Amino acid sequence: MAQRPGRVTLGYLCVLAVSFAAAMTAGWTPLARGIDGSAYDWMFQLQPPQPWEPGSIILAIDEATLTQTGGTRHLRRELAKGMKRLISVRPKAVAIDVILTDEADPAEDTALETAFRGTPNLVLPSDLIPSPSRWEDPLPRFRKYAAAVGHVHADPDPICRTLVLYKVAGHDRRWALSLEAFRLSVLGPESALIVESPKALQIGSTTIPVSRADAALQIRYLQPLPGGASRIPAVSLTQLNQDASLAERFRGKAVFVGETALSQARDRLMTPYQQTMTGVEIHAQAYETMAHGQFFQPASNLTVAGFCLAITIAAGFVFFYFTGWPAYLLGAVLLAVAHAAPHIAFSRNVIFPYLAPVLAAWLSVVGAAAWMYFVVRRQLYQSESDKARYQQAIHFVTHEMRSPLTAIQGSSEMMGRYNLNDEKRKQMAQMINSESKRLARMIQTFLDIERLTDGQSEIRAEPFELQQVIEACLQRAQPLAERKQIELRVEELDTFPLVGDRELMEYAVYNLLTNAIKYSPPETIVTIRALGHGQTLRLSIVDNGIGMDDKELRNIFKKFYRTKKAETSGEVGTGIGLSIVEQIVQHHGGRMEVTSTPGKGSCFTMVLPRGTVTQPAPVPKLVSN
């Protein structure tokens, strides 16, 4: 049969389980998402992607454009001019990030409509109105020339790390503007289908690893140029309209048209590089991420939980099987692994949360180390206590042995050195026999208490009558009482059946009875009472001795403790008999109670249940004090 783990082991496992649970719970909180995001930004800056030649370009409605057109009022006229310039260079796709839901000057709207008619792979914007949830689409006269309509709704995050590839309002779903631009750039308007699966989107040969549940694309931002300029080129709409040669820069590119002016850009957000960027620039960055396959893939919850569990288990093994500096060194290695794991995963294009594994490592390592420290400290304390106890015991027993050994040695020398008569030799022989028995009792009693503590035997479970035990003890103690002219009085004696070890119970009762006789003045009375109450028996032995104070009562059942009355009476004993009595009573499911008043005597009471011993317990062959 497998051995059950002890309380220390169970407590250790509980510490590890709580560490793991706390780390996982904390990893799902808003605070954890903030910490994970900050760690992501730091790793982004530490490990920027290798730069590539952008396949997109921005047609910027900047401050100069707004100044030239007199604000947004006449913007559509200038935009129409720019679109006509782009038609001649055949860009891959043109994505407009300018809301066109309201009618303006009829002449300007007609000019823009004419420009859109000839624009290849045109993507127009659609904004999401949250309350009530609906789409704000471009005017029908513009929309009919669009190859697709993409959403430009920005999530209210302070730092834009992801782009949600689709949004839903009612029963109408819109793909993101940048995704529609990429789709048209790759497949064209004829067969441009997005193949969806639970864990990815397929556009031609490109697989975008986003789940259908959140459809969040981690944007792989190009590292800014020295000075903070974007690597994606931008041409001002005013410059394009003034210089037709600039149109060549748009040939074969995906063109993103939108406002970059600080006075007009409403969707200016922070990037992981700690730089602000407008919505049209963010869409261009998302396009570059898809066009060059620079995808991040978030680690699954199961992977994160498995890693945290592995770290916790490893910490448990380290501090369970190692101690001292090797354990702390391995614990430091685990902490380093937990801190390095998100960085290693990031270098392999995997977004791994930071807080959960680091917290699992710290909690499990610190918890395991602290638990084992206190366990070892407790064991050391117990070891030192046992060492002190054994030293005290050996010193005490050695001191107690001197008297019988001296008597035996002296008597034997006299018998060998002098020619003694028969009566004297007989007297010496009796002294040697008496002292040797006394010495044997000391040794046996000392061994008995250690065996009873260590659990080397089993208590027998057999029925017996308490009355028979008391009568046997009274008969054995009667000669000792007669020598001091002490009366042994039985006032009440209920017939009460017990189940247990009769030999041990006789030892306990006899020890209490002889102690009462030893430490009582001559010509006094020792009273025995045995009263049963339901399923409980109270066996009391009352003497009329000098009694004990509260300090002595607190220490009376400690091993090798000798009371003042022992020193006063001159009685010789090892001071461990009462300790054995208490253990015997406890092994029988009972307890000891003591009341005493200095100068008025003491009352020792065994409180025993009617029943059986439920589990084996240690038992030696016991002798009295």
Side-chain angles (χ1 to χ4, degrees), residues 76-283:
R76 293 183 185 182
R77 180 183 59 197
E78 294 298 314
L79 184 58
K81 292 179 182 180
M83 291 297 100
K84 290 180 181 179
R85 295 281 174 92
L86 294 181
I87 293 173
S88 62
V89 296
R90 305 299 298 177
K92 283 186 177 182
V94 177
I96 308 294
D97 190 10
V98 178
I99 302 300
L100 301 170
T101 59
D102 299 324
E103 294 183 354
D105 183 86
E108 293 186 9
D109 285 349
T110 300
L112 185 60
E113 180 182 355
T114 302
F116 282 168
R117 182 185 299 119
T119 303
N121 294 334
L122 176 64
V123 184
L124 293 182
S126 178
D127 198 10
L128 179 64
I129 305 300
S131 180
S133 181
R134 60 184 179 85
W135 289 110
E136 188 178 33
D137 289 331
L139 293 172
R141 65 186 303 178
F142 300 140
R143 181 173 180 177
K144 64 182 179 181
Y145 297 112
V149 175
H151 84 77
V152 292
H153 184 77
D155 291 316
D157 291 333
I159 299 179
C160 183
R161 304 182 182 97
T162 62
L163 173 66
V164 179
L165 294 183
Y166 71 80
K167 294 279 188 178
V168 178
H171 299 287
D172 199 1
R173 182 176 67 170
R174 297 277 193 275
W175 295 107
L177 184 78
S178 54
L179 180 62
E180 291 287 16
F182 175 69
R183 175 178 67 88
L184 294 171
S185 298
V186 172
L187 301 177
E190 300 299 330
S191 59
L193 298 177
I194 298 176
V195 181
E196 299 180 62
S197 66
K199 294 185 178 180
L201 298 177
Q202 190 74 29
I203 301 177
S205 61
T206 303
T207 301
I208 304 176
V210 295
S211 66
R212 182 180 294 172
D214 54 19
L217 171 70
Q218 297 281 343
I219 303 174
R220 191 67 182 259
Y221 289 92
L222 284 165
Q223 187 180 24
L225 292 169
S230 174
R231 289 185 180 272
I232 298 178
V235 176
S236 170
L237 178 59
T238 295
Q239 292 176 340
L240 176 63
N241 290 337
Q242 293 175 350
D243 186 358
S245 64
L246 294 176
E248 283 298 321
R249 298 183 63 180
F250 295 87
R251 186 180 295 276
K253 300 278 189 177
V255 181
F256 288 87
V257 184
E259 297 174 344
T260 61
L262 293 176
S263 61
Q264 294 296 322
R266 297 174 299 169
D267 53 354
R268 184 173 290 273
L269 301 173
M270 189 75 70
T271 71
Y273 291 114
Q274 302 301 309
Q275 291 182 322
T276 58
M277 189 173 288
T278 60
V280 66
E281 294 174 296
I282 292 173
H283 276 290

Side-chain angles (χ1 to χ4, degrees), residues 38 80-81 103 181 193 199 202 276 310 350 375 402 431 446 518 570:
S38 298
K81 292 179 182 180
E103 294 183 354
L193 298 177
K199 294 185 178 180
Q202 190 74 29
T276 58
V350 176
V375 167
R402 290 177 182 174
M431 180 179 294
F446 176 75
K518 288 178 182 179

